[in-house]
Amino acid sequence: MEKLYMMEERTKIQVLYDASNAIFSQKELPCFQQIQWLKNILDIFEAVDVGIDEFSLHGTPHGLICGHAVSNITYIHIHECDKFSIGVFCFPAGAIFPLHDHPGMTVLSKLLYGSLYVKAYDWLKVEKSSCGIISGVASTVMDGILNAPSETSILFPRSGGNIHSFTALTPCAILDVLSPPYSQYLGRPSTYFSDFPIPSLPGYSMLEEKSLPEDLVVKGAPYLGPPVEVCMY
């Protein structure tokens, strides 16, 4: 009974951290049931659970981030370790996050509010040129609009739309759990791509690596949600 009471007292973000830590810190790869458990936790999240007032244009009496007042793509860092990261991307209407990949990662994304146009691909055939440029043929996994509330999406290293882009149709925010996190040092950089649809093969495109877009600006904002108690062992 005491254990059940303690679980009920935990905030949603603490439950998410605890579950992510349990799943991604184990030696074995997560099984389907574990990923589904994490998805179910994310499915019930709302913006206020991570310190965002999605409707406010100005300061809030509760000290939350004003979702509709965000003027640039903004990342709210919640937690990162070697095994996983948790954070929120906030977008103003019209903002574009260009096509990028998630090398060797499992990613769970929950649209907290707003509407988002998503284009996502998975590789069919990929190669790296002698000068290190990645290119290949990819199949379209999604080319459509997400409206909150919606179910948490899941992408895997080779499936689920590992390469994707976002266009914010309205102010919106995405809560992400990535495992493992990006790391240039460990060979998991974020790579950006241009896509060229193949007219003779509807649903397929050629993707070619490109430089980091000069107009991509991502600002940081403090996390103002409930505190997260981090496991230190």
Side-chain angles (χ1 to χ4, degrees):
M1 180 63 74
E2 182 179 354
K3 185 177 180 181
L4 178 61
Y5 174 78
M6 291 175 64
M7 290 178 62
E8 290 174 347
E9 286 297 303
R10 288 186 297 167
T11 62
K12 290 181 186 178
I13 192 65
Q14 187 66 53
V15 171
L16 178 62
Y17 167 81
D18 290 344
S20 300
N21 189 55
I23 291 170
F24 296 124
S25 294
Q26 62 186 0
K27 293 182 180 180
E28 302 81 12
L29 289 173
C31 66
F32 173 80
Q33 289 83 358
Q34 290 173 321
I35 296 298
Q36 188 65 38
W37 174 41
L38 206 55
K39 174 188 176 298
N40 292 341
I41 293 170
L42 279 161
D43 278 342
I44 63 172
F45 264 78
E46 298 176 344
V48 69
D49 298 318
V50 287
I52 301 172
D53 182 344
E54 63 182 279
F55 301 109
S56 178
L57 287 168
H58 307 289
T60 71
H62 307 293
L64 304 181
I65 289 176
C66 308
H68 281 227
V70 170
S71 57
N72 295 95
I73 300 175
T74 301
Y75 182 69
I76 302 170
H77 169 86
I78 299 176
H79 174 77
E80 182 169 331
C81 61
D82 292 343
K83 302 298 184 181
F84 66 95
S85 65
I86 303 173
V88 181
F89 280 99
C90 296
F91 297 84
I96 298 173
F97 204 107
L99 201 62
H100 61 285
D101 67 351
H102 306 80
M105 300 179 190
T106 297
V107 181
L108 295 93
S109 300
K110 168 64 177 176
L111 182 63
L112 298 173
Y113 61 86
S115 296
L116 194 68
Y117 168 63
V118 180
K119 183 179 282 188
Y121 297 98
D122 282 327
W123 289 116
L124 285 183
K125 182 179 181 181
V126 59
E127 57 187 25
K128 183 178 287 191
S129 70
S130 58
C131 56
I133 300 298
I134 299 171
S135 63
V137 179
S139 61
T140 302
V141 174
M142 182 174 183
D143 186 3
I145 296 172
L146 283 179
N147 296 301
S150 60
E151 286 193 10
T152 299
S153 62
I154 308 172
L155 64 85
F156 297 98
R158 294 182 178 83
S159 64
N162 187 277
I163 307 158
H164 63 202
S165 65
F166 298 138
T167 301
L169 304 180
T170 68
C172 57
I174 303 170
L175 172 59
D176 278 340
V177 178
L178 283 71
S179 179
Y182 284 110
S183 171
Q184 189 83 27
Y185 175 73
L186 294 175
R188 296 190 300 272
S190 180
T191 303
Y192 294 87
F193 296 91
S194 297
D195 57 337
F196 306 96
I198 303 173
S200 59
L201 292 172
Y204 296 87
S205 293
M206 287 293 300
L207 305 187
E208 184 175 285
E209 181 181 347
K210 67 177 184 180
S211 301
L212 175 69
E214 293 182 359
D215 59 349
L216 177 61
V217 177
V218 180
K219 295 191 172 182
Y223 171 61
L224 301 179
V228 178
E229 184 177 340
V230 175
C231 179
M232 300 306 293
Y233 56 87

